[in-house]
Amino acid sequence: MRHTRGKPMSPTQAKWFARLFPIPFIIAGAAIFIFGVREWSLAKESSDWPSTDGVIIKSQVSERQSTTGSGSSRRTTTVYFADIVYDYTVNDQPFTGTRVSFGEYSSSNSTHARTVVKQYPVGSTVAVYYRPGEPDYCLLLPGKIGRASCRERV
């Protein structure tokens, strides 16, 4: 069987294709950028949040299945994440939190999740940082995005 190519685009079609083809990529890039700036901003803001004592009630490496593709190219991958749950109280009101830091991620390699879980054994007391006015919005590592710190340089 011989491969045949379609007829080439006209100059007008090529011009429109060149203008329209990048648009979805620009939109996706802008969305990723906006999300990143928001996470960075919240992480920086969290450095000034008040804290209270909390207790780790669950600390384990959990997994979920992630499926990509379709039909014969469908692929399922196992991804691992640190499943940390802690209880804390603000103004005599009990809360439960699950966020360790901003920018948390899962991976097909369980090493990072195991490292996080080792830092937070069940029953241990931790400092829980919460957003002023929104005590249910909390985390354990303020001022961090994943493994990176967002401290202001002087």
Side-chain angles (χ1 to χ4, degrees), residues 33 38-39 66 83 105 148 150:
F33 176 77
R38 182 178 178 277
E39 287 283 296
S66 175
D83 192 0
Y105 63 92
C150 50

Side-chain angles (χ1 to χ4, degrees), residues 8-9 22 30 36 39 48 55 62 65 67 73 75-76 149 151:
M9 285 190 230
E39 287 283 296
D48 297 324
V55 177
S62 292
Q65 302 299 311
T67 304
S73 64
R75 184 171 167 225
T76 301
S149 230
R151 305 263 185 238

Side-chain angles (χ1 to χ4, degrees), residues 105-126:
Y105 63 92
S106 58
S107 171
S108 60
N109 182 333
S110 65
T111 303
H112 175 70
R114 283 183 294 161
T115 301
V116 173
V117 165
K118 283 181 188 174
Q119 294 173 14
Y120 300 102
V122 171
S124 62
T125 300
V126 292

